[in-house]
Amino acid sequence: MTIREIQTHLADGSMTARAVVDGFLSRIEKRDASLGAFLETYAGDARIRADELDTGGADKTTGALFGVPFVNKDNILVAGKVASGGSHILENYIGSYDATAIRRLKEAGAVLLGRTNMDEFGCGSSTESSAFGVTKNPLDTERVPGGSSGGLAAAVASQMVPCGIGSDTGGSIRQPAALCGVCGFKPTYGAISRYGLMAMASSLDTIGIIAANVEDIASVFRVISGADPLDVTSRTVDVPLPELGAVNVEGLRIGVPKQYFDDHLEPGIVDSIEQALRAYEQAGAVRVPLDIPILEDALAIYYVLMPAEVSSNMNRYDGLQYGSETPESDLFAQVRATRGAGFGDEVKRRILLGTFVLSAGYVDAYYKKAVRARYALRRALEEAFKDCDVIVGPTSPTVAWKIGEKFDDPVTMYLSDIYTVVASLAGLPAISIPCGALNGLPVGLQLMGRLGEDAKVMDAAHWYMTQA
Ligand code: GLN
């Protein structure tokens, strides 16, 4: 059931909020044992909340998401609930407050069903680096669901929940959405408050939304976006709310960078993307071929800046402020033991990489150079957006791969982020929507827009989802 369908049933009285919640909970019971999307479900709390909604304990008229179940990713805080970030080091950490996005969802009448699996602290593209087991792709359980929000994408794709929120730092919402055949939206940086989201790479982190269709994404976005005094970066942009169906595809200029169709793209994916582009063209959109050479450097820029910020954000997990304590005789031994045992290999790899690019003697050659290159990338995209309204291409260079296939080869794993990191580095809104299949596995189409034009991106994607 989509959000709209749930709302129709609740409005005409054919279902109660409790019946909706019970329906999804029983689906989770049936499906999740074979998928491992959830780390925990809150069945008891969800039922109590649904009953409260049904008996008028909450204001029926103002709740924009009244009775709509949702889930979160394990790195978004909920008061009184464990938030482990997919890491052993925070295995028993309990959130002391609600993240702003969670609070707004709750206030709108949405019902939280549980927290979903993720790559440790968001470091990964397959959900295999979670400390709590691998999540499987619901379309083929031998394959990964993508990552790092793989649990969330798998939960939505298997209809265990209509929607959910997670983080997208370099593609963690869009890429798993693509690999699982659902929609994933990453907003303009700052459009959704990050208050209560565990920091990974602060200048790139956003909270994003996964749902089965763009309409549902827009419904969640309207509730959770907007300035928040608790996150200074949320006040720097003015992002209008989406009004779907407003976009005029006739005359819409679709930029298609040739760098998005490079050697890394799995043969066959291009056909699905071409088909989508032709659909837009047939409706009167204009294809604008783009050549943006710096896009070839985006992945390298990302994998210098991101680990640098990770290495600094992970400092807090020292067993003293945060993180499980491993008692040792002296302070250094204790910190070493806590971090040694608490972090997984991928997080350690990024801490090492980040510390290296920030260290004296290398900071100019790597970190500062990457910062300059990031600005150059932003300027190049600003230029490109003078000639087009949206930039379109594949979300992921491949469809879902077999579990284990890339796990021991970090560089190949990093390559799966090649098309998504661009919007992250530039702070731009981007969405992935399903468009065709390759060998029976879903392909994702990515649409990227100008800063603050989240509504246009959603609307242009909505047009494709609803045509024909
Ligand atoms: N897969 C990317 C990475 O490992 C993106 C992660 C994310 O967006 N959290 O860095």
Side-chain angles (χ1 to χ4, degrees), residues 73 121-125 147-148 167-173 200 302-303 306 346 350 414 416-417 421:
K73 181 173 174 176
F121 289 120
C123 296
S125 312
S148 61
S167 61
D168 187 314
T169 299
S172 278
I173 281 281
M200 176 203 191
Y302 176 83
Y303 274 101
M306 205 281 302
E346 185 55 33
R350 303 219 185 179
Y414 297 169
S416 60
D417 307 324
V421 295

Side-chain angles (χ1 to χ4, degrees), residues 133-302:
V134 177
T135 297
K136 312 212 168 80
N137 190 316
L139 305 170
D140 177 349
T141 52
E142 285 181 10
R143 290 175 190 268
V144 300
S148 61
S149 315
L152 168 55
V156 172
S158 57
Q159 293 164 31
M160 294 193 282
V161 69
C163 62
I165 56 170
S167 61
D168 187 314
T169 299
S172 278
I173 281 281
R174 290 160 285 157
Q175 185 259 19
L179 269 47
C180 290
V182 289
C183 300
F185 176 72
K186 168 225 173 291
T188 293
Y189 181 78
I192 296 174
S193 167
R194 289 181 294 125
Y195 182 68
L197 168 68
M198 288 177 196
M200 176 203 191
S202 312
S203 79
L204 299 155
D205 292 341
T206 61
I207 284 187
I209 305 158
I210 292 186
N213 59 59
V214 183
E215 216 177 359
D216 287 358
I217 285 185
S219 300
V220 175
F221 182 79
R222 286 188 202 104
V223 167
I224 65 175
S225 66
D228 174 15
L230 298 169
D231 172 5
V232 285
T233 58
S234 77
R235 283 177 292 174
T236 53
V237 278
D238 181 23
V239 180
L241 296 182
E243 294 262 0
L244 299 183
V247 78
N248 191 0
V249 173
E250 203 176 328
L252 184 77
R253 295 168 306 161
I254 300 185
V256 184
K258 72 172 196 197
Q259 286 76 12
Y260 268 1
F261 298 86
D262 56 11
D263 303 343
H264 299 297
L265 190 63
E266 186 172 340
I269 287 192
V270 68
D271 300 338
S272 300
I273 306 296
E274 266 303 321
Q275 228 166 38
L277 288 170
R278 274 200 296 274
Y280 279 103
E281 281 180 309
Q282 271 156 19
V286 183
R287 187 194 298 227
V288 181
L290 298 173
D291 183 7
I292 315 174
I294 196 168
L295 291 186
E296 281 166 18
D297 302 323
L299 195 69
I301 301 169
Y302 176 83

Side-chain angles (χ1 to χ4, degrees), residues 430-444:
I431 194 166
S432 177
I433 55 172
C435 100
L438 178 63
N439 305 327
L441 295 164
V443 170

